[in-house]
């Protein structure tokens, strides 16, 4: 039996490159990870199946992607606190939080912050910023920037089809023929459910 989740951001080229930069020490000691998930699909909560399912938790169903990315890049955090509200979906069929902000603490002192925003007007995207003692890396869903504090912030436009690489990755995971396989995504699920 193979149990797999659809957590494909690890396969996106910009995040794979970021992981290599972190492992090579190009950012120095990472002290902060910040990510925002602009879901931009409020009607899926207020009018769709998610809102009718009393057990559906928006943060778990959306921010898990960014939490998994954080865990993949930095390892398991040791603490988490979160707060949320349901202001944007108030009065609809959905009774849960449609905005959640969570803060994750690491023994190293690094702090992770992940927000999920269903009511945001920006288009669906993942904004990610990683700050280290020697450099900063940012992606707003359209460009990637890196600064090592000695020069300007060169921006690289993302290729429009970059996120399509997620699909073959996910399909390859489904096609695994091993009898049993542990996937590290379960660590990310545990952190998100904490």
């Amino acid at each position: 039996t193979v149990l797999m989740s659809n957590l494909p951001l690890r396969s996106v080229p910009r995040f794979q490159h970021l992981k290599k930069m972190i492992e090579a020490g190009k950012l120095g000691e990472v002290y902060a990870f910040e990510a925002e998930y602009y879901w931009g699909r409020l009607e899926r909560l207020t009018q769709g199946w998610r809102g009718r399912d009393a057990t559906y938790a928006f943060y778990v169903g959306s921010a898990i992607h960014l939490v998994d990315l954080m865990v993949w890049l930095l390892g398991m955090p040791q603490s988490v606190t979160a707060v949320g509200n349901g202001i944007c979906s108030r009065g609809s069929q959905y009774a849960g939080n449609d905005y959640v902000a969570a803060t994750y603490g690491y023994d190293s002192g690094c702090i992770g912050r992940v927000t999920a925003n269903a009511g945001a007007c920006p288009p669906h995207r993942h904004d990610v910023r990683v700050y280290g003692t020697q450099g900063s890396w940012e992606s707003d869903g359209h460009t990637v920037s890196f600064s090592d504090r000695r020069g300007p912030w060169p921006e690289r436009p993302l290729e429009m089809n970059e996120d399509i690489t997620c699909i073959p990755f996910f399909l390859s995971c489904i096609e695994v023929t091993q009898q049993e396989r542990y996937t590290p995504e379960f660590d990310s699920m545990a952190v998100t459910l904490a």
Side-chain angles (χ1 to χ4, degrees):
T1 302
V2 175
L3 186 58
M4 180 69 188
S5 180
N6 180 17
L7 298 172
L9 292 183
R10 297 172 184 219
S11 68
V12 174
R14 68 179 172 270
F15 298 131
Q16 289 179 343
H17 182 68
L18 171 60
K19 183 168 179 67
K20 289 176 186 171
M21 291 178 72
I22 291 170
E23 289 172 348
K26 292 188 185 249
L27 277 72
E29 181 180 356
V30 174
Y31 64 86
F33 173 96
E34 297 178 352
E36 280 125 12
Y37 192 162
Y38 295 107
W39 200 54
R41 301 167 175 173
L42 184 62
E43 70 282 355
R44 292 186 180 184
L45 293 176
T46 61
Q47 301 168 22
W49 66 264
R50 293 168 181 86
R52 289 189 297 275
D53 182 345
T55 65
Y56 184 78
F58 167 66
Y59 188 81
V60 175
S62 61
I64 182 68
H65 299 288
L66 294 172
V67 171
D68 178 64
L69 184 65
M70 179 183 70
V71 169
W72 181 59
L73 294 171
L74 304 177
M76 289 288 285
Q78 284 66 53
S79 65
V80 60
T81 58
V83 63
N85 67 52
I87 293 172
C88 291
S89 59
R90 186 182 299 148
S92 74
Q93 67 178 359
Y94 182 66
N97 291 322
D98 54 48
Y99 179 86
V100 177
T103 303
Y104 299 87
Y106 286 85
D107 284 344
S108 67
C110 181
I111 297 171
R113 184 182 58 81
V114 177
T115 63
N117 189 337
C121 293
H124 178 93
R125 70 174 197 254
H126 309 101
D127 287 5
V128 177
R129 291 170 301 284
V130 181
Y131 301 107
T133 57
Q134 300 298 314
S136 300
W137 185 97
E138 298 185 357
S139 174
D140 65 2
H142 303 290
T143 59
V144 171
S145 302
F146 174 73
S147 173
D148 62 4
R149 301 178 190 232
R150 288 186 287 280
W153 280 69
E155 293 189 351
R156 176 181 67 84
L158 299 176
E159 293 188 26
M160 296 308 291
N161 65 351
E162 183 178 70
D163 287 329
I164 293 174
T165 60
C166 296
I167 296 168
F169 171 77
F170 180 65
L171 292 176
S172 71
C173 292
I174 293 173
E175 296 169 353
V176 171
T177 59
Q178 298 172 353
Q179 290 294 325
E180 292 184 32
R181 185 177 115 172
Y182 168 77
T183 58
E185 290 89 350
F186 293 119
D187 290 340
S188 301
M189 289 180 204
V191 170
T192 306
L193 294 169

